Amino acid sequence: MAQRNLLQFIILGLLHQTPMTGYELTKAFDSDIGEFWSAQHSQIYPQLQKLETAGALTHTEEVTGEKLARKRYAITDDGLDTLNTWLAAPTAASTNGKDEFALKLYFIPDASDSRLKPMLEAQQVEHTTKRTHLEHQLATKFPDGAPTTGLGHYLILQHAVLREHEYCDWLASALKHCH
Amino acid sequence: MAQRNLLQFIILGLLHQTPMTGYELTKAFDSDIGEFWSAQHSQIYPQLQKLETAGALTHTEEVTGEKLARKRYAITDDGLDTLNTWLAAPTAASTNGKDEFALKLYFIPDASDSRLKPMLEAQQVEHTTKRTHLEHQLATKFPDGAPTTGLGHYLILQHAVLREHEYCDWLASALKHCH
DNA sequence: CTCCTATATGTCATTAATGACATGTTTTAA
DNA sequence: TTAAAACATGTCATTAATGACATATAGGAG
């Protein structure tokens, strides 16, 4: 296996919240959950077909305007079982943390290397932008702090903010070490 | 492309530090750089062959004991060019952050869900263990703080520690929100 | 009325990565 | 001395994921 096919569970989880089309699912990965998983429509549409064949989903056709039919998928009882089994299973601490920039730093051997400072500064711009954006999202979507319903949404957004916070702090401290 | 084949650059980077065998490269992913990239020997050996065919590496045979011959790979000037080009290229803020636990939380909709607390506590054990281990590594490998040579090594270890620190803080704050 | 953007759904070739299979040597500890 | 663990190198089938190709409708702006 190349991965453990978590995509199926994410789709089930999203459809459990509310029935959606493939297009809407694709867009979901552009928002908050995109911070922790990504998927393109070319992967989502085939996966929807597989899940439906397996009996985890059903779809109904909706017609917008004159002709355009879209498929709105809903989770079945079987699908809900699959989702709950996944949620109940123990989760290992994520080991997938792939970070290209960290690797590059690893290969800059010396503190006096002239490439070090500009690299760190460029990365600082990237992550500061991302951090600001995420903080704005959090403040906009949850102006009153943690909600009772939708707590998971709040928590992962907060996680993303804290993650970027850590990254910015780390870059700042790294810059101090570089001559 | 499924990915951007960063493995080739990581191999070049490691071999630039010192010539190594495929076995030694494999072990390198079990230590610190494993926090930011992973690879199995089944991927490394073919990649070494490809890089050698492309002229980025050469190898010499060493005989240990009676029979066993191992191949020690070294980077060529061409390989060094490839490595330096990669290091000089701009790096986007990592978007690969795949976190299964964060996704599970996202699908627990309500703060009163009975699954929430045990999930968070189990994950807390995982990440506290990992954090302690990494902190011990940092203290052992760099008892005198940041070095001048091997700064990159120090920085990524520190990055891993801070990352786990953030994770533990986040889990603790999440537990406060859960009834 | 026309163009652009967003909506909407699919396929396909290619590649990165995994886990299993396969084989043999060397060292170390019981 | 013998068995286990570590060293050492490879192949292969399968799968997850990407990016490109393909096609068509709907709605809004100028």
Side-chain angles (χ1 to χ4, degrees):
Chain A
M1 228 182 304
Q3 268 270 17
R4 263 182 53 235
N5 192 6
L6 297 190
L7 181 61
Q8 63 180 317
F9 304 119
I10 301 167
I11 288 175
L12 290 174
L14 287 167
L15 294 180
H16 180 50
Q17 291 175 351
T18 180
M20 285 192 228
T21 66
Y23 190 78
E24 286 167 336
L25 283 166
T26 304
K27 279 196 300 178
F29 289 94
D30 294 335
S31 74
D32 304 329
I33 70 158
E35 290 298 321
F36 300 107
W37 205 269
S38 58
Q40 268 65 49
H41 78 275
S42 56
Q43 202 186 355
I44 290 166
Y45 287 110
Q47 187 65 67
L48 284 169
Q49 289 163 20
K50 275 185 207 168
L51 284 167
E52 188 164 34
T53 305
L57 300 179
T58 49
H59 80 267
T60 50
E61 298 242 327
E62 285 177 4
V63 178
T64 331
E66 275 307 299
K67 296 177 164 187
L68 190 58
R70 59 185 169 196
K71 299 179 183 172
R72 187 163 298 273
Y73 287 89
I75 193 169
T76 63
D77 288 344
D78 272 12
L80 190 54
D81 285 347
T82 306
L83 174 62
N84 282 325
T85 303
W86 173 64
L87 288 174
T91 319
S94 67
T95 175
N96 316 46
K98 303 209 162 187
D99 186 329
E100 183 173 0
F101 184 77
L103 288 164
K104 285 189 180 181
L105 269 200
Y106 186 72
F107 297 127
I108 302 290
D110 205 275
S112 62
D113 195 301
S114 64
R115 292 169 294 184
L116 201 52
K117 204 170 167 234
M119 276 174 69
L120 287 164
E121 283 165 349
Q123 196 70 3
Q124 215 169 26
V125 171
E126 294 279 330
H127 280 278
T128 306
T129 306
K130 196 169 174 183
R131 180 187 158 186
T132 309
H133 173 252
L134 287 167
E135 277 169 347
H136 179 256
Q137 289 255 307
L138 186 63
T140 307
K141 292 187 179 170
F142 302 97
D144 306 322
T148 306
T149 311
L151 181 66
H153 189 176
Y154 173 82
L155 287 176
I156 67 155
L157 236 179
Q158 193 186 242
H159 186 21
V161 167
L162 289 172
R163 182 216 260 170
E164 290 308 313
H165 197 96
E166 180 272 305
Y167 214 112
C168 291
D169 284 356
W170 173 62
L171 289 170
S173 96
L175 269 165
K176 281 183 204 149
H177 293 303
C178 111
H179 310 306
Chain B
M1 231 180 301
Q3 270 269 18
R4 262 181 54 236
N5 192 6
L6 297 190
L7 181 61
Q8 62 181 316
F9 303 119
I10 300 167
I11 289 175
L12 290 173
L14 287 167
L15 294 180
H16 180 49
Q17 291 175 351
T18 180
M20 284 192 229
T21 66
Y23 190 79
E24 286 167 336
L25 284 166
T26 304
K27 278 196 303 177
F29 288 94
D30 295 334
S31 74
D32 305 328
I33 68 158
E35 291 297 321
F36 299 107
W37 204 268
S38 59
Q40 268 65 49
H41 78 276
S42 55
Q43 203 188 354
I44 290 166
Y45 287 109
Q47 187 65 67
L48 284 168
Q49 289 164 19
K50 275 186 208 169
L51 285 167
E52 187 164 35
T53 305
L57 301 178
T58 49
H59 80 267
T60 49
E61 297 242 328
E62 284 177 5
V63 178
T64 331
E66 275 307 299
K67 298 175 161 186
L68 190 59
R70 60 185 170 194
K71 298 179 183 172
R72 187 163 299 273
Y73 287 89
I75 194 168
T76 63
D77 288 344
D78 271 13
L80 190 54
D81 284 348
T82 306
L83 175 62
N84 283 325
T85 303
W86 174 63
L87 288 173
T91 318
S94 67
T95 175
N96 315 46
K98 303 209 161 187
D99 186 328
E100 183 174 1
F101 183 78
L103 289 164
K104 286 189 178 180
L105 269 200
Y106 185 73
F107 297 127
I108 303 288
D110 205 277
S112 63
D113 196 301
S114 64
R115 294 170 293 186
L116 200 52
K117 204 170 166 235
M119 275 174 70
L120 286 165
E121 283 166 348
Q123 195 69 2
Q124 215 169 27
V125 171
E126 293 280 330
H127 280 279
T128 306
T129 307
K130 197 168 173 183
R131 181 189 157 184
T132 309
H133 173 253
L134 286 167
E135 277 169 347
H136 180 254
Q137 289 256 306
L138 187 63
T140 308
K141 292 187 179 169
F142 301 97
D144 307 322
T148 306
T149 312
L151 181 65
H153 188 176
Y154 173 82
L155 287 176
I156 66 156
L157 236 179
Q158 193 188 242
H159 186 21
V161 167
L162 290 172
R163 182 217 260 170
E164 291 308 314
H165 197 96
E166 180 273 304
Y167 215 112
C168 292
D169 284 356
W170 174 63
L171 290 171
S173 96
L175 268 165
K176 281 184 205 151
H177 293 304
C178 112
H179 310 305

